[in-house]
């Protein structure tokens, strides 16, 4: 391989490896994903309608086998539709600026939450997102709180069949709801539920002991999800059970991983963490989550579990607090919280700070490189708040990053320009030592040293772009702020691929091409800018390299066709800025810009070789 092309080839190979990796792990065809999601949803609903789930697992009391049912958790018959399940029990309405829904007075479950601000598609008339759903309907997903008695204690506690009494019928940020129930044995239970303007519930459980004997109770909170939901299956995104459990740190389990954990009890697999202080446990989807937050000052046991219920499995994230002794005539209480909403960055960070929830920000999957990804998001979000368009914010951030790395990139391009100017001398050295590769390399290295040239400097522009590419991809993929964020023209969702397609003439032909032929307008723009950038350099003398460089823009154009539109717009804009910067530096260093000569060469015209040297193709002609 020619030494002067080795560094450029290395950069290209590295780029291909990175992008192929992204494509394989993260950018599967969107159409196939949608079809698979629809198929699995339909199948899950059919199974749910036919199944009769058994007892719903709840946190085990101290000394009990994990996975045992909560006191009084009776089997629940499948009712049918979500609406029928909601109508099966008396309810309290939930009404906040961000969420709507209801609380079931049977079991005091928070099992009906919809997100007012978010729709299923970019069409504002499409249905709003449903997060939590009641038992008895399809895809039950809910949260509840309560008490567990110590093993061997004969005490009646509220359970899934308990019907509570409410002091009012609507829960709003300005008006909490108090639920009450008396077990008829001297214990009176009260539960005060309040909610803020976003999606955080505060639950205060109180027990008044009017009996003649002390009782020790253990508070719990849980998130329960019946049936395995459809997940996107991307390595870059965690979907499943998530929590931060004090000193145990971040714990993420996919549904499949949890199914394979050791048995906690017959039919139940899972994992427990004891003596945790601070944090949360919950279940997360791509853009929304439900998480229970224990008292941040007291120890608790955190647990994830997967249990066979009917024909499917039920997944659960729960905490079990320390025992609280309630003496005769005394009252004890426990505080917990429930988040059930969209994972908006400002809201999640706000809860971590204002409510002192340890590492609540990890509910959003920033990944291993959060130290770069998260700050980049904050910069984008800050610009967005001033200009109102995330697409334009991406363009501005690209310019800022170009400015930040300008000294290094400038040095890199200058070194490349000097290498182009030295092409005649490098060619002469190769011809002089054609039969002695060792002397050839020594002479080239001496030339580089004399001229103060770094032969691998051309790799830096690509290497600098890779972390930005990764971070921006992560931001576009995981942050709900980017979901359905428009740009201009036909781009209505920066987090989705360009919806246009060359192969149906951008919608003029009523034909839906297969996913592998998804090639929108912005990927084409990206391909053109990449083509121009590559044609600014001299054509490599090696025919294999020349063919590779010629077809590389085409390959990348198809490769990025299924990537988020925001990422393709970034890549296109970055290419254009790089072309401008490279052209300026080449002109400044007195190096000929090869663009027009290379374009002429594509149509059969043979331009003069770079640096004024004779055309290598004619160098041996007599």
């Amino acid at each position: 391989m020619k030494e002067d092309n080795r560094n450029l080839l290395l950069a290209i190979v590295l780029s291909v490896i990175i992008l192929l990796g992204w494509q394989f792990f993260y950018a599967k065809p969107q159409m196939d994903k949608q079809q698979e999601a629809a198929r699995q949803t339909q199948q899950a609903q059919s199974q749910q309608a036919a199944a009769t789930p058994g007892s719903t697992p709840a946190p085990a009391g101290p000394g009990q086998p994990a996975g045992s049912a909560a006191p009084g958790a009776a089997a629940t018959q499948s009712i049918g539709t979500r609406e029928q399940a909601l109508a099966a029990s008396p309810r309290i309405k939930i009404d906040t600026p961000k969420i709507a829904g209801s609380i079931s007075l049977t079991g005091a479950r928070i099992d009906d939450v919809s997100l007012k601000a978010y729709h299923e598609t970019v069409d504002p008339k499409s249905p709003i997102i449903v997060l939590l759903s009641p038992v008895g309907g399809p895809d039950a997903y809910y949260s509840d709180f309560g008490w567990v008695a110590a093993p061997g204690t004969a005490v009646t506690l509220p359970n899934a069949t308990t019907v509570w009494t409410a002091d009012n019928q609507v829960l709003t940020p300005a008006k909490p709801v108090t639920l009450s129930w008396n077990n008829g044995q001297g214990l009176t239970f009260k539960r005060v539920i309040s909610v803020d303007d976003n999606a955080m519930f505060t639950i205060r459980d109180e027990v008044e002991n009017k009996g003649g004997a002390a009782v020790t109770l253990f508070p719990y909170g849980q998130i329960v999800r019946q049936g395995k939901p459809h997940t996107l299956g991307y390595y870059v995104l965690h979907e499943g059970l998530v929590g931060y459990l004090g000193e145990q740190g971040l714990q993420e389990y996919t549904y499949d991983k949890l199914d394979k954990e050791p048995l906690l009890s017959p039919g139940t697999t899972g994992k427990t963490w004891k003596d945790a202080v601070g944090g949360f446990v919950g279940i997360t989807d791509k853009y929304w989550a439900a998480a229970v937050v224990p008292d941040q000052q007291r120890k608790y046991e955190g647990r994830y579990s997967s249990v066979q219920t009917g024909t499917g499995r039920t997944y659960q994230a729960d905490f079990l607090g320390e025992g609280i002794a309630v003496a005769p005539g005394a009252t004890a209480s426990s505080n917990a919280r429930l988040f059930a909403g969209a994972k908006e960055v400002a809201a999640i960070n706000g809860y971590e700070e204002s409510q002192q929830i340890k590492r609540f920000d990890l509910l959003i999957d920033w990944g291993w490189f959060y130290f770069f990804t998260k700050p980049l998001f904050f910069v984008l979000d800050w610009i967005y708040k001033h200009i109102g368009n995330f697409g334009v914010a991406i363009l501005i951030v690209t310019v800022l990053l170009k400015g930040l790395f300008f000294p290094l990139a400038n040095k890199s391009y200058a070194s490349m320009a000097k290498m182009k100017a030295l092409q005649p001398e490098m060619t002469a050295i190769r011809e002089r030592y054609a039969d002695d590769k060792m002397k050839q390399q020594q002479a080239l290295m001496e030339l580089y040293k004399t001229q103060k040239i770094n032969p691998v400097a051309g790799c830096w522009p690509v290497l600098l772009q890779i972390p930005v590419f990764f971070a921006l991809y992560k931001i576009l993929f995981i942050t709900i702020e980017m979901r359905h964020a428009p740009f201009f023209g036909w781009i209505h969702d920066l987090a989705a691929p360009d919806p246009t397609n060359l192969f149906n003439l951008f919608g003029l032909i009523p034909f839906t091409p297969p996913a592998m032929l998804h090639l929108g307008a912005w990927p084409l723009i990206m391909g053109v800018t990449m083509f121009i950038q590559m044609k600014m350099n001299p054509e490599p003398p090696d025919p294999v390299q020349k063919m590779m460089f010629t077809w590389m823009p085409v390959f990348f154009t198809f490769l990025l066709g299924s990537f988020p539109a925001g990422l393709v717009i970034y890549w296109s804009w970055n290419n254009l800025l790089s072309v401008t910067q490279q052209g300026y530096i080449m002109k400044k260093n007195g190096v000929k810009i090869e663009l027009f000569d290379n374009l002429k060469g594509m149509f059969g015209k043979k331009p003069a070789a770079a640096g004024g040297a004779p055309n290598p193709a004619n160098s041996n002609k007599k």
Side-chain angles (χ1 to χ4, degrees), residues 226-303:
Q226 292 184 355
K228 184 182 297 184
H230 168 73
T231 59
L232 296 176
Y234 290 106
Y235 183 75
V236 72
L237 172 70
H238 173 69
E239 296 172 281
L241 289 85
V242 62
Y244 188 86
L245 296 106
E247 296 300 322
Q248 273 73 246
L250 178 66
Q251 300 293 336
E252 295 178 325
Y253 278 71
T254 64
Y255 300 103
D256 290 337
K257 180 181 178 182
L258 192 59
D259 291 341
K260 299 174 183 177
E261 282 296 294
L263 289 175
L264 297 177
S265 65
T268 302
T269 60
K271 178 76 174 179
T272 62
W273 296 269
K274 297 181 180 296
D275 297 328
V277 178
F280 64 95
V281 293
I283 299 177
T284 182
D285 297 311
K286 181 177 181 179
Y287 292 122
W288 10 86
V292 288
V293 182
D295 189 315
Q296 297 293 287
Q297 304 304 318
R298 295 183 176 181
K299 290 183 179 181
Y300 66 92
E301 176 182 321
R303 185 184 64 163

Side-chain angles (χ1 to χ4, degrees), residues 496-513:
D498 188 323
T500 61
N501 199 314
L502 172 67
F503 295 100
N504 62 11
L505 297 183
F506 305 105
L508 294 177
I509 301 175
F511 163 66
T512 302

Side-chain angles (χ1 to χ4, degrees), residues 129-205:
I129 295 296
V130 174
L131 180 59
L132 301 185
S133 291
V135 171
D139 306 317
Y141 188 15
Y142 61 89
S143 175
D144 61 21
F145 299 81
W147 302 93
V148 172
T153 303
V155 58
T156 302
L157 301 177
N159 56 53
T161 61
T162 300
V163 179
W164 294 68
T165 300
D167 65 344
N168 67 70
Q169 298 303 307
V170 181
L171 171 64
T172 68
K175 192 175 184 181
V177 169
T178 300
L179 308 181
S180 59
W181 181 74
N182 191 306
N183 74 346
Q185 300 172 357
L187 296 181
T188 299
F189 297 86
K190 289 186 178 181
R191 178 169 299 164
V192 181
I193 304 176
S194 57
V195 66
D196 65 6
D197 288 336
N198 195 356
M200 183 69 83
F201 296 84
T202 299
I203 293 90
R204 179 178 176 81
D205 271 312

Side-chain angles (χ1 to χ4, degrees), residues 372-387:
F372 180 67
T373 304
K374 196 172 180 181
L376 181 60
F377 168 81
F378 285 134
V379 174
L380 282 168
D381 190 53
W382 184 85
I383 296 173
Y384 165 76
K385 288 174 180 176
H386 287 79
I387 62 176

Side-chain angles (χ1 to χ4, degrees), residues 302-314:
R303 185 184 64 163
Y304 301 158
S305 61
S306 170
V307 60
Q308 190 71 35
T309 52
T311 59
R313 298 192 72 85
T314 293

